[in-house]
Amino acid sequence: MSTPLTPREQALRRLPHPYSLALRLRDAGVADDQICTYLDIDIDTHALPTLLDLADAKLAAALCTNPDTEPEAQP
């Protein structure tokens, strides 16, 4: 028997992969330079904080959105 997914996990699975991966790596305590390596981001561009801010915003929106009520799922 499988364990039901938490709302956060369900929301993470609906995010585009780079955002989901960035959040998961950050939550796991992975260093910023390693996150940049996994995401193929140049650490010198300082893009990671912006990407994480966007990922957090997308996750917050996904947590407020029920996949059954998203516009493309409505009749």
Side-chain angles (χ1 to χ4, degrees), residues 11-40:
L12 280 168
R13 288 179 179 208
R14 292 194 308 270
L15 293 182
H17 181 70
Y19 298 115
S20 177
L21 180 59
L23 292 174
R24 291 172 191 276
L25 291 171
R26 182 190 64 189
D27 292 350
V30 175
D32 288 355
D33 62 327
Q34 288 299 308
I35 296 173
C36 288
T37 299
Y38 286 124
L39 296 174
D40 196 25

Side-chain angles (χ1 to χ4, degrees), residues 6 13 29 42 47 64 74:
T6 65
R13 288 179 179 208
D42 184 357
C64 293
Q74 293 178 349

Side-chain angles (χ1 to χ4, degrees), residues 37-67:
T37 299
Y38 286 124
L39 296 174
D40 196 25
I41 297 172
D42 184 357
I43 189 124
D44 295 329
T45 64
H46 305 289
L48 184 60
T50 302
L51 184 133
L52 289 170
D53 288 344
L54 285 168
D56 283 327
K58 288 181 176 290
L59 179 61
L63 284 167
C64 293
T65 304
N66 181 340

